[in-house]
């Protein structure tokens, strides 16, 4: 039966440790050591429970007592109170006994085994009582030794260093993103981790043991760590340290009711603040986009009426003199309508009449090239296509993708109006994306232009609106793709690269 008990309880050991930890936490009995964390405590509890399970199976007191003795000496030197340690031992024992009673049906098959289980539980109870006596004796011995050390005047410094080194080094100093500083009650730096040294831009070894005011000279209203000792004031603050936005949390360190020093934990929140600002900006842009979509619709409705009446007037009163006027008016109305369409795309407006579908990307690329070939031939521009002949499907809005490709190619043709004669289009597949590149041998893109290329209403053309490439970027992003712009190393002009996810059905 003991073998069955051992196998069953060993499997439940992590759960039993967690249950013990939960009970201790609920009753505020887990916080005796300032810097002890949950995973460390759970590991200790599970190890002790496993040693008790091994005792149930083998009855070997020596091995368990040896391990318990080491724990007792270690805990005593750490400064944990005896009451706290005994509470954990009793709670581990009681949790184990309760589990054995709860799962008795797994172990008992005869009446004799029922009596045997009762005897096992009683023996375990008595054995833990003997361990408790041993812990009390060890703590009393260690306390007596500490009192002797106190008489020599060295105990306070050694005990504080021991607590800091044994627990802080193990549990905190290895952290790469949290900076930690500990000072004693004389404001001397007892410990600081490498993250703290990096934050303060100092060498860690050079500041250990120095007075905090000699090493750091913060503004009088930012002496957060010193205030714990000087005023008994701890708290949470935000400060800028060497250009880094940082939260500073401070707390006192007590041992046996006496203030030993203070601990400060610092965390870099620069990135978090930037993300928060970016989120606020995106929310504002979303609101502006919604407003823009509404205004575009309201403008388009009367514009449609104006266009209709202009066409009616032209039919009824057309003369040689006013024919050109009507043409100009209608052309400008079409221009306004095109601008409104770009605004709707930027605002992520979805027209119910346009449905998403799975289509061949090359159908739209070839369609745009055929559309622009007459213009390119007229202007002496060589429009080249590099394509293996393979077909790739993408999912989205066919007309929008065609508009994006058209915008890029038209930009390339306009860019080489003063210099250059080649626009090269390449299409190929890369893992799960189809890649479209457009390169020209024109003047290329200046750094300022590259920086603002996709910003709405930014343009270098005298008659441009600045919405073409920003609209193109929005279309590509809405299709789960990416768009990049740079100067072509091969042709010397501009190079645009579009990546869109391939639809596999």
């Amino acid at each position: 039966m003991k073998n069955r008990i051992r196998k069953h309880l060993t499997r439940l050991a992590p759960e039993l440790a967690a249950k013990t930890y939960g009970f201790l936490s609920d009753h505020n009995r887990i916080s005796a050591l300032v810097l002890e964390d949950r995973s460390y405590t759970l590991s200790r509890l599970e190890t002790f429970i496993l040693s008790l399970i091994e005792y149930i199976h083998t009855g070997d007191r020596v091995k368990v007592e040896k391990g318990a003795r080491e724990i007792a000496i270690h805990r005593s030197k750490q400064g944990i109170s005896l009451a706290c340690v005994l509470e954990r031992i009793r709670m581990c024992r009681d949790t184990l006994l309760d589990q054995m009673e709860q799962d008795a049906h797994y172990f008992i098959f005869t009446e004799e085994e029922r009596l045997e289980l009762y005897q096992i539980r009683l023996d375990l109870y008595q054995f833990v009582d003997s361990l408790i006596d041993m812990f009390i004796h060890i703590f009393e011995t260690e306390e007596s030794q500490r009192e002797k050390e106190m008489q020599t005047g060295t105990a306070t410094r050694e005990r504080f260093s021991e607590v800091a080194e044994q627990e802080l080094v193990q549990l905190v100093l290895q952290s790469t993103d949290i900076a930690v500083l500990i000072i004693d009650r004389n404001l001397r730096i007892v410990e600081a981790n490498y993250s703290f040294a990096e934050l303060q831009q100092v060498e860690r070894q050079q500041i250990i043991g120095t007075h905090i005011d000699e090493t750091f000279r913060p503004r009088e209203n930012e002496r957060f760590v010193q205030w714990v000792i000087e005023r008994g004031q701890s708290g949470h603050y935000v400060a800028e340290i060497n250009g880094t936005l940082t939260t500073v949390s401070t707390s006192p360190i007590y041992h046996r009711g006496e203030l030993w020093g203070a601990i400060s934990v610092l965390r870099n929140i620069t990135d978090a603040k930037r993300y928060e600002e970016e989120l606020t900006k995106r929310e504002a842009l979303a609101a502006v986009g919604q407003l823009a979509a509404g205004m575009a619709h309201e403008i388009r409705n009367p514009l449609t009426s104006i266009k209709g009446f202009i066409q009616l007037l032209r039919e009824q009163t057309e003369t040689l003199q006013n024919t050109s006027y009507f043409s100009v008016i209608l052309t400008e109305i079409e221009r306004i309508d095109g601008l409104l369409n770009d605004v709707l795309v930027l605002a992520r407006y979805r027209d119910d009449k346009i449905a998403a579908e799975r289509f061949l990307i090359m159908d739209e690329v070839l369609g745009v090239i055929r559309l622009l070939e007459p213009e390119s031939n007229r202007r002496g521009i060589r429009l080249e296509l590099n394509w293996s002949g393979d077909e790739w499907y993408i999912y989205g809005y066919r007309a929008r993708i065609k508009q994006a490709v058209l915008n890029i190619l038209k930009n390339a043709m306009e860019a080489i109006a003063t210099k250059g004669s080649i626009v090269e289009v390449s299409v190929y597949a890369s893992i799960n994306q189809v890649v479209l590149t457009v390169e020209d041998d024109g003047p290329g893109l200046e750094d300022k232009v590259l920086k603002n290329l996709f910003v709405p209403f930014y343009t270098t053309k005298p008659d441009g609106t600045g919405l073409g490439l920003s609209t193109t970027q929005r279309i590509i992003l809405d299709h789960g793709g990416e768009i990049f712009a740079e100067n072509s190393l091969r042709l010397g002009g501009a190079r645009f690269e579009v990546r869109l996810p391939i639809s596999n059905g």
Side-chain angles (χ1 to χ4, degrees):
M1 184 174 68
K2 288 183 178 181
N3 191 44
R4 293 198 298 271
I5 294 174
R6 179 178 63 83
K7 288 183 178 180
H8 181 74
L9 295 181
T10 299
R11 181 174 55 82
L12 296 178
E15 180 182 333
L16 295 174
K19 187 183 297 185
T20 304
Y21 181 91
F23 185 87
L24 292 169
S25 299
D26 293 342
H27 292 76
N28 298 319
R29 296 167 178 169
I30 202 72
S31 58
L33 187 58
V34 175
L35 298 175
E36 188 168 65
D37 69 350
R38 185 177 188 274
S39 59
Y40 180 78
T41 305
L42 280 172
S43 175
R44 289 286 186 176
L45 293 173
E46 183 177 347
T47 299
F48 184 68
I49 288 172
L50 286 171
S51 69
L52 294 181
I53 294 172
E54 189 63 24
Y55 168 74
I56 292 173
H57 181 245
T58 64
D60 185 358
R61 302 172 62 98
V62 177
K63 184 177 179 181
V64 180
E65 287 175 348
K66 181 181 177 182
R69 183 180 299 277
E70 292 175 355
I71 293 173
I73 294 173
H74 179 65
R75 289 317 210 190
S76 176
K77 288 182 177 180
Q78 285 180 309
I80 299 179
S81 69
L82 175 61
C84 178
V85 175
L86 297 184
E87 182 70 21
R88 298 185 191 189
I89 293 173
R90 292 192 184 99
M91 190 52 58
C92 287
R93 176 192 63 189
D94 293 347
T95 302
L96 201 56
L97 290 174
D98 289 344
Q99 193 68 40
M100 291 172 66
E101 182 177 5
Q102 179 181 332
D103 296 340
H105 57 282
Y106 287 113
F107 319 130
I108 299 173
F109 297 104
T110 65
E111 190 61 32
E112 290 77 8
E113 287 183 337
R114 183 181 302 279
L115 294 175
E116 185 181 354
L117 178 61
Y118 176 82
Q119 185 60 48
I120 290 172
R121 296 178 67 239
L122 178 62
D123 183 44
L124 177 63
Y125 192 95
Q126 293 173 344
F127 175 62
V128 173
D129 274 349
S130 69
L131 291 181
I132 290 173
D133 291 339
M134 182 181 70
F135 268 75
I136 293 173
H137 175 71
I138 291 173
F139 267 72
E140 288 176 349
T141 302
E142 290 293 321
E143 180 65 25
S144 175
Q145 182 64 29
R146 281 194 296 271
E147 289 177 359
K148 292 179 181 179
E149 291 176 354
M150 288 291 289
Q151 293 174 0
T152 65
T154 62
T156 301
R157 183 176 65 256
E158 292 177 357
R159 286 291 300 135
F160 188 86
S161 298
E162 189 173 303
V163 171
E165 291 174 3
Q166 291 183 359
E167 294 298 326
L168 185 61
V169 170
Q170 294 179 18
L171 305 176
V172 181
L173 288 188
Q174 304 307 319
S175 171
T176 58
D177 60 343
I178 299 177
V180 178
L181 171 71
I182 288 183
I183 62 173
D184 63 17
R185 57 189 171 194
N186 297 317
L187 300 183
R188 293 196 175 276
I189 298 175
V190 176
E191 191 56 88
N193 68 351
Y194 290 103
S195 294
F196 180 83
E198 182 179 350
L199 178 65
Q200 294 287 356
Q201 299 177 2
V202 296
E203 291 293 332
R204 175 179 173 273
Q205 294 301 329
Q206 294 178 1
I207 65 175
I208 302 298
T210 63
H211 194 283
I212 187 173
D213 289 335
E214 295 176 1
T215 306
F216 311 108
R217 300 182 183 276
R219 290 184 288 271
E220 193 61 32
N221 63 342
E222 293 184 351
R223 292 170 53 83
F224 306 131
V225 189
Q226 293 92 321
W227 289 345
V228 179
I229 306 298
E230 296 169 346
R231 305 179 184 178
Q233 175 183 329
S234 59
H236 304 278
Y237 315 93
V238 177
E240 186 174 334
I241 301 176
N242 294 324
T244 301
L245 197 61
T246 307
T247 59
V248 184
S249 300
T250 61
S251 297
I253 298 178
Y254 287 98
H255 178 63
R256 300 183 183 278
E258 181 182 358
L259 178 64
W260 276 24
I263 179 172
S264 177
V265 178
L266 304 89
R267 185 185 294 273
N268 182 352
I269 61 169
T270 303
D271 290 340
K273 193 70 175 177
R274 185 169 66 249
Y275 296 149
E276 182 181 343
E277 291 173 354
E278 181 66 21
L279 179 60
T280 303
K281 181 180 178 181
R282 287 178 180 273
E283 290 174 348
L285 287 175
V288 172
Q290 188 175 3
L291 176 63
M295 290 184 63
H297 273 296
E298 292 303 319
I299 294 172
R300 179 173 275 178
N301 289 336
L303 195 66
T304 302
S305 300
I306 292 172
K307 181 179 179 181
F309 279 111
I310 290 294
Q311 291 172 333
L312 181 62
L313 286 172
R314 184 173 65 174
E315 293 172 1
Q316 294 178 352
T317 62
E318 186 172 11
T319 66
L320 291 175
Q321 183 178 4
N322 62 20
T323 296
S324 61
Y325 298 153
F326 285 128
S327 296
V328 171
I329 293 172
L330 289 172
T331 299
E332 292 304 308
I333 288 175
E334 292 294 340
R335 176 178 167 82
I336 294 172
D337 190 60
L339 288 173
L340 292 176
N341 184 64
D342 288 343
V343 169
L344 288 171
V345 172
L346 285 174
R348 288 184 168 178
Y349 166 72
R350 291 286 182 266
D351 192 339
D352 293 337
K353 297 178 182 179
I354 304 176
E357 59 180 318
R358 186 170 178 264
F359 61 93
L360 290 168
I361 179 67
M362 288 308 300
D363 286 352
E364 306 311 312
V365 174
L366 293 172
V368 170
I369 291 176
R370 284 193 295 269
L371 181 66
L372 294 178
E373 271 181 342
E375 177 69 13
S376 65
N377 292 333
R378 185 182 67 79
R379 294 171 54 183
I381 297 174
R382 194 163 79 248
L383 195 56
E384 298 180 351
L385 173 64
N386 297 322
W387 172 44
S388 64
D390 294 333
E391 299 282 7
W392 306 283
Y393 283 92
I394 67 172
Y395 183 82
Y397 300 90
R398 183 189 295 266
R400 295 276 169 83
I401 292 296
K402 185 174 184 177
Q403 179 187 352
V405 175
L406 179 62
N407 287 347
I408 296 173
L409 282 174
K410 284 179 65 178
N411 262 19
M413 291 175 62
E414 291 170 2
I416 60 176
T418 57
K419 174 190 174 184
S421 61
I422 300 174
V423 175
E424 185 178 287
V425 181
S426 301
V427 188
Y428 60 92
S430 175
I431 308 178
N432 60 345
Q433 291 180 318
V434 57
V435 182
L436 167 72
T437 64
V438 178
E439 298 180 74
D440 62 66
D441 61 346
L445 301 168
E446 298 178 0
D447 290 342
K448 181 181 178 181
V449 176
L450 271 172
K451 184 178 179 181
N452 298 286
L453 199 59
F454 298 109
V455 176
F457 305 107
Y458 177 82
T459 181
T460 57
K461 304 172 188 175
D463 58 346
T465 64
L467 288 177
L469 286 177
S470 55
T471 301
T472 299
Q473 184 188 50
R474 173 54 58 206
I475 291 171
I476 299 303
L477 293 177
D478 284 351
H479 284 76
E482 302 170 291
I483 182 169
F484 309 97
E486 60 185 355
N487 285 311
S488 173
L489 297 176
R490 190 164 54 84
L491 298 182
R495 180 182 186 274
F496 285 83
E497 179 178 309
V498 173
R499 291 176 170 266
L500 291 165
I502 296 174
S503 173
N504 294 317

